[in-house]
Structures are given as C-alpha cells and as structure tokens.
Amino acid sequence: MPGKIKQSLCWWCFTRATENKPEDVIRVSKELGIQGIEIAPPDQWEAIKAAGLKLIGTSGHGTFSEGLNHRENHPRIEEELVKNIEIAAEN
C-alpha cells in the first residue's frame, strides 16, 4: 500500500554532529517525501513550514541532567513546559 506511511525525521540527527546545513536538511527532506521534522529549533520553524513540511513535536524543557529527578527544578520546568506548550500550539 504505497503512500500510507507518513515519515518524519528528527532534526538533531541530521544537523547536530554533521556538517549539514539547515536549509539542505529541509530541502532534502521535502525531496524525499518526508512529511515533517521533529524537535527542530524555533529559529527553523518558518523555513520548515514554508517548505510545506509539518512541525512534529518540540523540546519540553532544558536539559535532562537538570530535569524532574531534582525537586528543586520542578517550578522552573513547569514554567518552561507551559511556555513551550503555548508556543507549540501557536505553530
């Protein structure tokens, strides 16, 4: 059944430890038929949407090493999560 799978890719896998330019990742994703890009940084959202791709998820809060496993981080993380949920809903 061709065309039934809607594939996405995770941004950091193709940009973090490589020489790939953001505009190349977006262009090639579109050329390959990728439907969306996951966890892209906000400064790339407009370019991703302009290419006709969907934004799939975003990061919730800072780092894992300073996460929910430390109660003193809970207020900061809650604030970050609420803010990022609002931003994600807008985009």
Side-chain angles (χ1 to χ4, degrees):
M1 298 183 154
K4 295 291 183 182
I5 295 175
K6 295 182 179 179
Q7 189 67 46
S8 65
L9 63 82
C10 188
W11 181 263
W12 62 266
C13 293
F14 294 92
T15 59
R16 187 173 185 178
T18 67
E19 298 288 324
N20 294 328
K21 295 179 183 172
E23 58 271 16
D24 292 338
V25 172
I26 294 167
R27 179 183 48 78
V28 172
S29 295
K30 183 69 175 176
E31 290 172 359
L32 291 173
I34 299 293
Q35 300 292 305
I37 297 180
E38 301 178 36
I39 317 174
D43 65 336
Q44 296 298 323
W45 289 1
E46 288 304 317
I48 291 168
K49 291 190 292 186
L53 300 169
K54 296 186 184 298
L55 296 168
I56 313 292
T58 186
S59 60
H61 67 86
T63 65
F64 287 119
S65 62
E66 297 175 0
L68 289 169
N69 55 327
H70 298 284
R71 289 185 185 269
E72 65 273 14
N73 293 333
H74 289 189
R76 175 189 54 81
I77 291 172
E78 179 180 8
E79 184 178 316
E80 290 174 7
L81 288 172
V82 169
K83 177 184 168 197
N84 287 334
I85 288 169
E86 291 169 356
I87 292 169
E90 291 171 6
N91 288 281

